[in-house]
Amino acid sequence: MFIVMSARATAEEINGVKSLVLAEGMQPHESVGSERVVIALVGEIGSDRDRLMGRFAQLPGVETVTPITRPFKLASRDFHAEDTVIRVGPATIGDGSLTVMAGPCSVESREVAIETAEAVKAAGATILRGGAFKPRTSPYSFQGLGVEALRYLAEAREATGLPVVTEVMEPSQVEVVNRYADILQIGTRSMQNYSLLTAVGRVAKPVMLKRGFGATIEEWLMSAEYIISSGNPNVILCERGIRTFETYTRNTMDLSAVPLLHHLTHLPVVVDPSHATGKAWLVKPLAIAGVAIGADGVMVEVHPRPEEALSDGEQSLTFDGFRSLMAAIVPLHEQISRLPRDPLLPDAALAVGGTSKH
Ligand code: PEP
Ligand code: MN
C-alpha cells in the first residue's frame, strides 16, 4: 500500500510512519516528490491489509492510504510521480535530453574499443557501449574477452570521457563489472535471472535492464521491481525487440512499449534498434521512430569494420552510418522535446489486456 503524506507533513511525522512500518515487520520505501512524500509498504500484507490501512490512516501527517493495484509498486508512477533522472559522469538520462549509447557489440580488441569510442564521441554519443562477457546462442561463438575487455573499456573512457555500459551475465561477475563499468547491463536472456537482479540491486551504479525477448511489459517491470526493491532505484529500461512470427527481422521492435512505459513507470526508457532489427540498414529508421515516440535514448552497435566484427556485424553501423543516424535523430529530438507533454492517463486506460502470473 502507499501512504501519501500531506504536503505539510513534518519530518517527525514522516519518521513516525516509517517507524510503524518497521514495527509491523516491513520495509518502508520512501519517494520524495516536489510536493509530498509517499511511503510504500511492500511485502506480504494479505489479510492484514484492512487493519494496517486503518492504523496508518490515523497517524498524524498522513493524507491518504491507498492499496496498490498493480503488481509492480516501486517502479510505478503511482509511487513516484516524477521522472527518475539518472546521472553517470557527464551524462544525464531521463531529464529530457537525448542519451545515445554507441559502441561495438563485443570489445574484440583494445584498438576496436578506443577507435570506436573516439569516433562515436566525436559524432555526439553520450555513453560508450561494448560487451566484455557475451551471451551467445552458440557455445562455439566468440564469448567475449571478459576482464581484459573491461580494462579496454576503462581505457576508452579515460581517452574520451564517455561513461561505459557493459553486460553482466551472472551474480559472480557483478563485483568485477561494477569495478570497471558506469552502468551495468542486464541482457535479454537474463531479464528473469532473479539472483542476478537482486545482486545488481545491491550495487550503487545504475542498471540498464533489457527486455526479455519473450517478456510482457508487466514481467519486465516486475524484473525492474526486483532491482529497486533490493536497494537500487536507478534502473533504465531498454526495448530491444521481442520475438514474433516475423523472420525478416531478428526481433520485432515494440514501439508502443515506449509511451506505455512512460505512463506506467517513472524509469527512463531507451530503444535498441540494432538488436531489434538485426540489420544495419534498418537501424536508422527505427532509431528515428524511437526518438519520435519519446524514448529517452537510443543504443546502437557501431564497428570500425562491421564485416570483420566477431559478433553482430550485420547489425553494426559503420562510423559514417552512425554520423548519418546522429544527423537525423539530434534535430528530430529537439523538435519532439518542444511538443507539450500529454497528461498522464487514468488507470482505466492502462488496464492490462491479458492475464499474467507472478
Ligand atoms: C547487447 O546489447 O550486447 C546484447 C547482447 O543485447 P541483448 O541482450 O538485447 O541481446
Ligand atoms: Mn550485439
Side-chain angles (χ1 to χ4, degrees):
M1 69 185 67
F2 292 133
I3 301 160
V4 182
M5 302 301 295
S6 112
R8 291 179 306 279
T10 63
E12 223 177 359
E13 289 167 340
I14 295 168
N15 284 336
V17 171
K18 290 200 277 191
S19 309
L20 184 56
V21 175
L22 290 168
E24 290 286 352
M26 278 168 283
Q27 283 301 317
H29 291 265
E30 190 177 347
S31 159
V32 183
S34 58
E35 281 177 22
R36 61 186 76 239
V37 166
V38 179
I39 297 163
L41 203 152
V42 295
E44 284 292 330
I45 296 173
S47 57
D48 226 14
R49 202 174 78 180
D50 290 348
R51 180 188 68 81
L52 285 173
M53 283 183 69
R55 216 159 157 213
F56 284 106
Q58 281 163 6
L59 291 184
V62 172
E63 189 164 286
T64 50
V65 181
T66 46
I68 308 177
T69 45
R70 288 188 221 294
F72 49 91
K73 303 170 197 309
L74 305 176
S76 81
R77 278 243 185 239
D78 305 333
F79 171 56
H80 188 92
E82 282 126 52
D83 292 341
T84 284
V85 175
I86 297 174
R87 291 191 175 78
V88 258
T92 311
I93 306 151
D95 65 338
S97 63
L98 180 65
T99 296
V100 180
M101 308 178 181
C105 175
S106 53
V107 176
E108 300 158 8
S109 66
R110 184 179 172 275
E111 290 65 39
V112 163
I114 309 277
E115 197 184 341
T116 312
E118 280 171 349
V120 299
K121 159 87 189 208
T126 54
I127 292 173
L128 174 66
R129 66 142 286 140
F133 298 101
K134 293 302 303 175
R136 304 305 302 280
T137 305
S138 164
Y140 309 121
S141 301
F142 176 62
Q143 306 283 310
L145 295 181
V147 178
E148 187 185 340
L150 293 176
R151 291 201 196 99
Y152 298 149
L153 285 168
E155 228 184 290
R157 172 179 51 217
E158 283 293 303
T160 59
L162 292 178
V164 164
V165 56
T166 193
E167 178 162 353
V168 52
M169 285 171 58
E170 44 182 278
S172 64
Q173 293 166 351
V174 170
E175 198 269 321
V176 69
V177 174
N178 186 40
R179 199 169 341 132
Y180 288 98
D182 302 290
I183 304 175
L184 283 69
Q185 175 174 324
I186 303 294
T188 190
R189 298 159 182 83
S190 303
M191 191 206 83
Q192 287 185 314
N193 179 340
Y194 299 117
S195 51
L196 180 60
L197 299 177
T198 306
V200 296
R202 295 201 184 108
V203 305
K205 289 185 180 160
V207 174
M208 185 170 79
L209 178 65
K210 294 191 110 183
R211 180 179 186 174
F213 57 79
T216 64
I217 290 174
E218 193 172 285
E219 286 163 341
W220 187 11
L221 287 170
M222 293 308 286
S223 292
E225 191 78 14
Y226 264 90
I227 302 171
I228 305 173
S229 64
S230 304
N232 189 344
N234 294 317
V235 179
I236 303 154
L237 300 168
C238 176
E239 164 61 42
R240 49 78 69 206
I242 50 175
R243 179 161 294 176
T244 67
F245 47 77
E246 185 49 66
T247 51
Y248 271 110
T249 48
R250 185 173 177 185
N251 291 284
T252 297
M253 191 154 136
D254 182 5
L255 287 171
S256 52
V258 176
L260 244 167
L261 286 166
H262 279 146
H263 285 280
L264 291 168
T265 177
H266 49 86
L267 301 173
V269 185
V270 304
V271 293
D272 169 358
S274 302
H275 292 90
T277 64
K279 291 184 158 80
W281 66 274
L282 278 172
V283 170
K284 180 172 151 187
L286 271 294
I288 290 171
V291 172
I293 49 165
D296 298 284
V298 171
M299 168 186 267
V300 291
E301 288 184 339
V302 179
H303 193 283
R305 291 162 295 280
E307 66 287 356
E308 291 173 18
L310 296 181
S311 61
D312 287 352
E314 330 79 81
Q315 68 191 37
S316 298
L317 298 174
T318 58
F319 294 166
D320 273 347
F322 181 65
R323 286 189 278 266
S324 155
L325 174 140
M326 291 299 281
I329 63 173
V330 170
L332 172 65
H333 175 260
E334 272 166 27
Q335 273 187 297
I336 294 290
S337 51
R338 279 200 291 271
L339 296 175
R341 248 177 110 158
D342 288 339
L344 289 175
L345 290 168
D347 258 27
L350 293 168
V352 184
T355 55
S356 62
K357 294 196 172 65
H358 315 294

